[in-house]
Amino acid sequence: MTETDVRPLNGHTLTKLHPIPPEVLDKAPAEPAPAKPRPARLHVRTGQAVKRIATHDRTRTVGHLAVRHTGYLVGGTRIVTRRAWDGRSAARYERMIRAAEAAGNLEEAKEWEERGQQFRAQRHRRRMELLASPQQLAKSALSGTAVGAGVLLGTGVAMAVANGNIGDVLVPTLALVDAIRWAVVIGTVVWGVTSMLLPWAALGALWAVGRHQHTAPDWALPAKDRNGNGQAITPSIVVTAMRDLGVASLKKSIKEMGDVGAQMLSPITIAGCGVEVDVHLPSGVSTEEIQNRRRKLAENLNRHEHEVFITIPPSPRTVRLWIADSGALDEPIGPSPLVTDPDTTADYKTGRAPWGQDLRGDAALISLFQRMLLITGLSNQGKTASLRALALWLAFDPAVKFRIGDLKGIGDWGMFEGLAEVLIQGPTDEHVMDVTEMAEEAVREMNRRLLAPSDPHPPLVVIIDEAQVAYGSAAVDENKIPYGGSKNTSRYFRAIKAIHDQGRAVNVTTWEGTQDPTNENLPKRSREGNHIRASLVLGTEAQARMAVGDAAIDGGAAPHKLRQGLDKGTVVVAGDGLKLSAGQTSVTVRTHFIDEDQAKEIAARAKERRTTVATRSAVPPAERIDHLADIIKVIGDEPRMRTQEVLHGLYELNPAAYKGWTFADLKAFLEPLGAEPYKTDGKMHVALDRLTAAVLKRSDDEDE
């Protein structure tokens, strides 16, 4: 209906309704308004859903399976193709020739060239025979057909005569035709099945080859097949790792060798919890380039850096790789024989202390006879325990005497109460003074022994743990001479240096344990006077060179590559205490850990075999020798005297006190007093007036 206004009635407008025309009703409804665009949140939710699906464990598993088996198939195809090509061509001989030339072996290259020529000649002969084979085959077929037809006909005639039936002449021929017809029927059926299965069988064979060779990416392989999970180190793995080191000349040489790059390698041998192999480098590649890429080499071998050790053997242009089994170095090595063997014995002169195991798994037995020892490393890495283990073993030799200064002072050496003649424990300047007096007393004992070198002298081992405290002490004596420091004026340094110089001859040795070495807390002259230098983990290569020496670091030693907190007790040892192979400059030892309770029990067993001593906690200051007065006495009334004559006069005056004195000692004593030697007429002299002034100044200081 439609509405129409009509005239008003009583002030109101009336509306008249009209029917709607049919043509209007037949019209299609209006198009709906366009829908509003969906909010962006819908797209966000869709992206999150896609991400959730893509990262789901099932999706990842399916992806790994797809990549793994595709890799097997592609890799197997590549391997089979290469094998087929090698079998049909002279590529194998060409690779062998290039490898021999790269190694400089011209005789071998010539031999492979001759083999290659023989292979080509034989291949040419086979091809020529193949070209002539159709004619021979046709002749053979014709003659065979004629013979066959004659046999069939003869057989048919014989059957016809025997049976009296002329039709039997064709029976053999018809039987042959029937057999051929059935063969074709069976062949058609079999060929249909075979043609359907043959491609799948070929794909399965290629897949099997790839699976056997692990040609899929490492991350897609099953856990048991991954290189990082203990797969055996093979020549191809080592060669590939060397090729991918980033050394251009090495990569080029290996590429020219092809698969025969393995000829660079010695036989891979089992060595403890890993394997060992020597790699002879091609010309133009230095051993230093390989050493500087230790981390990358380890990663190429699917190992951590601490699981690969690179050393330099005697052979030129060769590096020796020791590659640990994955995770093997994180396993403990077992208890010390000192703990497990109650019948332990020791001999200072001929015995060797069981310190631990080397990387080959062999026992690390160290000789301590007349050897100065230094062990250093970062804090809390097992330095004290490693040093104490050697002293505990040596305690089983009743002849050995100990004098110990523990400048940490927390009781790590307390079990040596009753074993050591002197045991000083504490970190203060007063303890440094006591330790210095102990070292100087050992020097005096050394000098007494040097006066009678033919007499038997029992071993005297002076142990100073945390020696950096002594070197860093600022304490001075009454003559203003420092106890600590790294200069020749330091009393502690001079005592250690004196024992290093002459103590070995009379069985007086020092063992020092220091922390975080620097030139200040471990002077060069002191550290280089040790026969055995061992280092736990250190922070920098510079510190490592201080600890074990340049030769050991250049030869592959790397204490700065050990892991702080994880390689506790692992020491890199340089020196002649451990047996080293020819050309070897260091060895890495995983020491046995002996805890404090075990150490106390071992010390108690050692005391049962020794005469108990009354351990002193300090060394009383020796009767002070007035060196200044002695020098003035030697010079007498002369205005000056040559330093060599002064030293000779001091020795004649008091041999025990001045036997080890040198020009450096004389200068170190006189320099702080302002009376140092001076040069005149080209020779060093000591002046009497300077000595007299020093005496007067000292008197004034004492009066004040």
Side-chain angles (χ1 to χ4, degrees):
M1 305 290 288
T2 59
E3 300 177 356
T4 303
D5 294 338
V6 298
R7 62 183 181 82
L9 179 63
N10 299 327
H12 299 281
T13 302
L14 298 178
T15 301
K16 184 178 180 181
L17 300 178
H18 299 279
I20 299 175
E23 58 272 15
V24 176
L25 294 175
D26 293 338
K27 288 184 179 180
E31 292 292 333
K36 294 182 179 180
R38 294 184 178 181
R41 183 173 181 80
L42 181 60
H43 297 285
V44 173
R45 289 179 177 175
T46 303
Q48 291 175 346
V50 172
K51 181 179 179 181
R52 188 162 54 250
I53 293 172
T55 58
H56 195 275
D57 289 343
R58 292 183 180 178
T59 306
R60 296 178 64 182
T61 302
V62 171
H64 281 203
L65 286 172
V67 172
R68 182 192 311 165
H69 294 290
T70 302
Y72 288 162
L73 184 59
V74 173
T77 303
R78 184 180 66 252
I79 292 172
V80 171
T81 302
R82 183 160 190 171
R83 288 175 181 174
W85 176 253
D86 285 347
R88 301 289 297 176
S89 69
R92 178 183 304 168
Y93 300 96
E94 294 295 334
R95 284 201 305 272
M96 299 294 280
I97 292 171
R98 289 197 299 269
E101 289 175 346
N105 193 339
L106 299 182
E107 291 295 329
E108 185 177 351
K110 183 178 179 180
E111 180 182 351
W112 282 111
E113 185 177 6
E114 292 176 355
R115 292 185 183 183
Q117 291 175 352
Q118 293 174 2
F119 171 81
R120 292 185 181 92
Q122 293 173 359
R123 183 180 61 184
H124 177 73
R125 186 175 64 254
R126 288 194 302 270
R127 288 176 176 175
M128 297 306 296
E129 291 174 352
L130 187 62
L131 291 175
S133 62
Q135 298 177 359
Q136 298 295 332
L137 184 61
K139 291 179 180 180
S140 299
L142 288 174
S143 61
T145 301
V147 172
V151 171
L152 290 173
L153 184 60
T155 304
V157 171
M159 290 178 63
V161 172
N163 296 330
N165 184 3
I166 192 62
D168 288 346
V169 174
L170 297 177
V171 169
T173 303
L174 294 175
L176 178 61
V177 171
D178 194 49
I180 293 173
R181 181 175 65 82
W182 279 106
V184 170
V185 171
I186 295 172
T188 302
V189 174
V190 173
W191 174 251
V193 177
T194 303
S195 61
M196 182 176 62
L197 296 180
L198 189 61
W200 297 104
L203 289 176
L206 296 175
W207 175 89
V209 172
R211 181 177 182 274
H212 180 71
Q213 297 293 331
H214 305 303
T215 58
D218 190 71
W219 57 267
L221 290 173
K224 63 184 181 64
D225 293 337
R226 293 176 188 168
N227 290 339
N229 286 276
Q231 186 184 25
I233 297 295
T234 62
S236 62
I237 290 175
V238 177
V239 171
T240 302
M242 299 293 291
R243 181 197 66 194
D244 296 339
L245 272 183
V247 181
S249 54
L250 177 61
K251 182 176 182 179
K252 181 180 179 182
S253 299
I254 293 177
K255 186 177 180 180
E256 291 175 354
M257 296 178 194
D259 288 345
V260 193
Q263 78 163 9
M264 298 189 306
L265 312 182
S266 69
I268 297 177
T269 58
I270 296 175
C273 58
V275 296
E276 190 173 74
V277 59
D278 286 356
V279 182
H280 183 69
L281 302 174
S283 177
V285 183
S286 69
T287 56
E288 185 179 4
E289 289 179 288
I290 307 301
Q291 285 182 301
N292 292 339
R293 290 169 170 82
R294 175 182 172 184
R295 174 175 293 181
K296 189 170 185 178
L297 176 61
E299 292 172 349
N300 290 348
L301 292 166
N302 289 295
R303 294 295 190 269
H304 296 293
E305 184 178 10
H306 71 276
E307 294 175 328
V308 175
F309 289 81
I310 305 173
T311 55
I312 308 300
S315 303
R317 216 171 65 226
T318 302
V319 293
R320 178 166 294 164
L321 306 181
W322 185 86
I323 307 163
D325 298 334
S326 292
L329 295 183
D330 296 326
E331 299 294 329
I333 64 170
S336 168
L338 298 180
V339 176
T340 59
D341 184 6
D343 299 323
T344 299
T345 59
D347 189 296
Y348 173 73
K349 185 174 182 180
T350 62
R352 288 181 174 271
W355 208 11
Q357 292 181 1
D358 62 16
L359 296 179
R360 292 173 167 267
D362 299 329
L365 305 176
I366 185 168
S367 173
L368 302 170
F369 176 61
Q370 293 184 342
R371 288 178 171 88
M372 313 292 172
L373 185 148
L374 169 69
I375 182 169
T376 185
L378 298 180
S379 176
N380 193 32
Q381 298 302 307
K383 169 175 51 61
T384 296
S386 300
L387 187 61
R388 187 177 62 192
L390 298 178
L392 287 170
W393 174 81
L394 198 55
F396 284 93
D397 185 342
V400 178
K401 298 180 179 180
F402 294 98
R403 297 179 185 178
I404 301 173
D406 175 17
L407 292 175
K408 185 187 295 181
I410 60 173
D412 289 338
W413 295 84
M415 68 288 301
F416 278 83
E417 186 77 30
L419 286 173
E421 294 180 337
V422 179
L423 178 59
I424 301 168
Q425 302 181 84
T428 66
D429 282 344
E430 287 73 17
H431 293 101
V432 171
M433 296 176 187
D434 290 336
V435 167
T436 302
E437 294 286 354
M438 179 186 74
E440 290 177 340
E441 184 185 55
V443 173
R444 292 191 293 272
E445 172 65 20
M446 176 189 73
N447 289 334
R448 284 193 294 269
R449 294 182 179 191
L450 288 171
L451 295 176
S454 59
D455 293 346
H457 301 299
L460 173 60
V461 180
V462 181
I463 302 174
I464 302 97
D465 195 10
E466 305 295 341
Q468 77 279 355
V469 177
Y471 286 113
S473 175
V476 296
D477 63 11
E478 64 277 7
N479 293 321
K480 307 300 182 183
I481 299 176
Y483 284 93
S486 57
K487 297 181 179 179
N488 282 333
T489 54
S490 165
R491 289 177 56 180
Y492 175 79
F493 171 66
R494 288 173 58 194
I496 295 298
K497 183 168 69 71
I499 298 175
H500 284 179
D501 290 341
Q502 296 179 303
R504 181 175 181 271
V506 289
N507 286 337
V508 179
T509 57
T510 63
W511 297 359
E512 287 185 290
T514 67
Q515 186 182 121
D516 198 15
T518 65
N519 284 322
E520 287 70 34
N521 62 27
L522 187 59
K524 183 176 186 293
R525 177 63 178 80
S526 175
R527 61 181 183 253
E528 293 188 350
N530 293 280
H531 305 98
I532 300 171
R533 298 167 70 174
S535 175
L536 296 106
V537 58
L538 288 171
T540 65
E541 181 179 334
Q543 288 181 314
R545 290 184 179 275
M546 292 181 190
V548 297
D550 291 335
I553 298 300
D554 293 338
H560 54 293
K561 297 292 187 180
L562 297 174
R563 300 168 298 167
Q564 185 173 0
L566 297 176
D567 290 325
K568 284 187 176 183
T570 299
V571 294
V572 178
V573 185
D576 60 353
L578 288 166
K579 292 182 179 179
L580 303 176
S581 59
Q584 189 177 5
T585 56
S586 66
V587 62
T588 300
V589 177
R590 303 170 69 198
T591 60
H592 296 294
F593 175 67
I594 301 175
D595 63 32
E596 190 170 346
D597 292 337
Q598 292 171 336
K600 290 178 180 178
E601 189 272 331
I602 295 170
R605 284 193 278 120
K607 291 175 185 177
E608 295 174 358
R609 307 186 187 186
R610 302 169 61 99
T611 301
T612 303
V613 299
T615 300
R616 296 174 288 163
S617 60
V619 175
E623 180 180 353
R624 302 307 299 173
I625 299 175
D626 192 342
H627 299 301
L628 187 57
D630 287 348
I631 295 171
I632 293 175
K633 186 175 182 179
V634 167
I635 292 179
D637 297 332
E638 298 291 332
R640 65 175 183 265
M641 181 178 285
R642 291 174 54 192
T643 53
Q644 290 298 327
E645 294 176 356
V646 172
L647 291 171
H648 182 70
L650 289 173
Y651 176 73
E652 289 185 344
L653 182 66
N654 190 341
Y658 296 108
K659 179 175 177 59
W661 269 47
T662 63
F663 171 76
D665 297 318
L666 181 63
K667 180 182 178 183
F669 173 74
L670 293 176
E671 195 169 25
L673 304 177
E676 66 276 6
Y678 64 97
K679 181 177 288 188
T680 179
D681 297 332
K683 297 179 181 179
M684 300 301 293
H685 288 76
V686 177
L688 180 61
D689 57 346
R690 293 188 179 186
L691 297 174
T692 304
V695 171
L696 294 175
K697 184 176 183 301
R698 185 174 66 178
S699 299
D700 294 340
D701 292 340
E702 290 175 354
D703 292 340
E704 293 177 0

